[in-house]
Amino acid sequence: MIGLISATAAGAAARDRLAVAWPDRTRVYDGPVGDAVRRAFAECEQLVCFLATGAVVRLVAPLLGGKAADPGVVCVDEGGRFAVPLLGGHAGGANELALEVGELLGAQPVVTTATDAVGIPGLDTLGLPVEGGVAAVTRALLDGEPVALETEVAWPLPPLPFAAAGTYVVRLTDRAVEPGAREVLLRPPSLVVGVGASRGAPAEEVLEVIESALREAGLSPRSVASLATVDAKAEEPGILEAAARLGVPVVTYTAGELASVAVPNPSDAPLAAVGTPSVAEAAALREGGELLVPKRKSGGSPAMATCAVVRRPGRGRLAVVGLGPGARDLLTPRARDELRRASVLVGLDQYVDQIRDLLRPGTRILQSGLGAEEERARTAVAEARRGHAVALIGSGDAGVYAMASPALAEASADIDVVGVPGVTAALAAAALLGAPLGHDHVSISLSDLHTPWEVIERRVRAAAEADIVVTFYNPRSRGRDWQLPKALAILAEHREPGTPVGVVRNASRPDGTARVTTLAGLDPATVDMMTVVTVGNTATRTVAGRMVTPRGYRWQEEPE
């Protein structure tokens, strides 16, 4: 919950804008400001104070308990000009909150934490448990000193300017080791503990067999991602309590799912009890991985719990990102976030140049030229399979004549894939032309490099006969100069010579052009590969120089 505090009418007006925009996230604290701040500080995860920073400093100073426990505090001046994260920039989420407040109120976020100022994510903001000299290693990163990354367990991380070797080290490990003086340990959630238990097994016995297994194998409890068991034990109190103490969820599988898992130590006892020859080992291995601790029994007499430990492979992440038609203000916020999240960027060289300034320090860039689409797709998937966070970029929407289809044809279930939509060239062109896509429409590429012309021609003819608005991608190049005239001739068999046609080159870019002509008046020689051509249907009209395709309502019909 976000507590909102103000002292004046101007502050209350801005406060109320946040309360209306975020009704489920905010709570307004009225009354004397000092009392309001104290109550909100104790009850909320974050505060937004419409007060002077000095006043808030004096009010919260006696309340501070520690970096891990204090809420994030953002100050906004009464004029709504600035949003300042005052406390808990990272741990309390105040930096991100200031960005959100700034976007909503039109205020300038003033983020002063050193890592954010230079675009380096804080080591304590990566979503992983962290141990060791966070401040010292972070300072080394900021000062440009060599900091090495030692990856004992592959796990996707955002970009950081790591060196091949250095006196400072960030180690990604699930082993139970102590950090050195100049070392940070990041604990990936790489361990799955399979658990079996008799009815009524005490939580202490379940927890003891888990902790002893981890301890003897030299593994850190902080890397345990979940406890896994058979669904018949989903409500077993001892398992639920053990998971709660470890701070992890319980994942369950049916007996049939577990029975299909090959295990080294099957047993008749669980087969008779719950219908599978293995619970602990099979549940731990159900999603794949390396069996580090085979089934072991607890020390009770009789033993009432079993466990097994598996290290699951780190799942890489592939974000397929559409950059839009080229204008920076048509790049979506989600696309920006994915570009900054990726430690590896794969893309066409000219597209990389468009967004290079948005990348964080340490981003590894793998770029290539025209014609290497399938190679880029394979490269992106291969990098994700190595456990990296990868962004594969394309123009427009990455799923429209771009990189999503070749990448997803290569990607299997061993990586996570995220699609990030972008503004297509057809949509950007349509916005410049007016409203040519007001009714049914289709996009057709005239490039026959990968699709036989016979197939393309059938699609053009079908669109012509169905009276659908058509947008042509890849309409004409130096080596392909006859396809566009042929396609226009097919459309002309079904549409009048005066049918409006929109021609847009480099939509949304500074050198872009847009014009409306007619089916008979279009000169194909004026079109190139940077152009999209939109041909209206029989209802499309030119109104005040703009193409308009009516939606078919009666009030849009021309009077007789």
Side-chain angles (χ1 to χ4, degrees), residues 35 105 143 194 207 229 249 295 316 321 340 353 357 428 509 526:
D35 292 341
L105 300 181
D143 289 345
L207 197 60
T229 190
K295 181 182 73 174
V321 182
R340 293 176 62 79
D353 290 341
D357 63 301
R509 300 186 185 185
T526 63

Side-chain angles (χ1 to χ4, degrees), residues 110-435:
V110 183
V111 178
T112 58
T113 46
T115 51
D116 293 274
V118 297
I120 297 176
L123 296 175
D124 55 351
T125 69
L126 303 181
L128 301 178
V130 59
E131 303 170 19
V134 174
V137 175
T138 299
R139 172 54 58 190
L141 285 169
L142 293 171
D143 289 345
E145 296 187 46
V147 177
L149 175 65
E150 295 183 0
T151 304
E152 296 177 5
V153 180
W155 212 263
L157 293 176
L160 285 158
F162 291 121
T167 56
Y168 293 87
V169 175
V170 173
R171 194 191 314 183
L172 199 60
T173 181
D174 57 16
R175 295 191 299 114
V177 293
E178 293 296 323
R182 295 186 172 188
E183 186 176 48
V184 165
L185 303 182
L186 296 177
R187 301 293 191 185
S190 55
L191 304 178
V192 177
V193 179
V195 179
S198 301
R199 181 176 298 176
E204 289 74 15
E205 186 167 344
V206 176
L207 197 60
E208 182 277 330
V209 71
I210 294 172
E211 291 179 338
S212 64
L214 294 171
R215 183 171 55 253
E216 293 175 21
L219 300 171
S220 171
R222 302 191 76 185
S223 281
V224 174
S226 64
L227 301 189
T229 190
V230 66
D231 59 3
K233 299 295 180 180
E235 302 300 326
E236 187 63 45
I239 294 177
L240 296 177
E241 176 63 23
R245 294 188 193 180
L246 290 169
V248 299
V250 175
V251 177
T252 63
Y253 302 99
T254 67
E257 289 174 321
L258 297 185
S260 67
V261 179
V263 298
N265 300 293
S267 172
D268 292 335
L271 180 61
V274 294
T276 173
S278 172
V279 173
E281 287 181 339
L285 286 165
R286 180 62 178 81
E287 305 300 329
E290 176 188 3
L291 183 63
L292 302 180
V293 180
K295 181 182 73 174
R296 59 183 293 161
K297 296 181 180 180
S298 60
S301 183
M304 299 187 71
T306 60
C307 83
V309 183
V310 163
R311 176 183 287 140
R312 65 177 181 177
R315 289 180 64 85
R317 187 176 190 276
L318 173 61
V320 187
V321 182
L323 301 181
R328 180 58 62 85
D329 59 352
L330 292 181
L331 178 70
T332 67
R334 186 178 300 181
R336 289 173 181 261
D337 291 343
E338 289 295 344
L339 294 175
R340 293 176 62 79
R341 177 175 181 168
S343 60
V344 180
L345 182 84
V346 182
L348 180 67
D349 47 14
Q350 57 185 296
Y351 297 154
V352 171
D353 290 341
Q354 289 180 20
I355 48 82
R356 193 182 296 272
D357 63 301
L358 298 178
L359 305 178
R360 277 179 159 160
T363 304
R364 183 156 54 95
I365 299 173
L366 304 176
Q367 64 186 45
S368 53
L370 287 169
E373 288 79 9
E374 293 182 356
E375 177 188 342
R376 286 195 292 274
R378 287 192 293 268
T379 297
V381 171
E383 291 292 333
R385 285 187 175 134
R386 295 187 183 104
H388 298 303
V390 182
L392 174 63
I393 59 174
S395 65
D397 182 280
V400 179
Y401 302 123
M403 294 304 302
S405 53
L408 269 60
E410 291 283 337
S412 49
D414 57 347
I415 63 173
D416 295 323
V417 177
V418 177
V420 182
V423 178
T424 67
L427 294 178
L432 295 172
L433 294 172

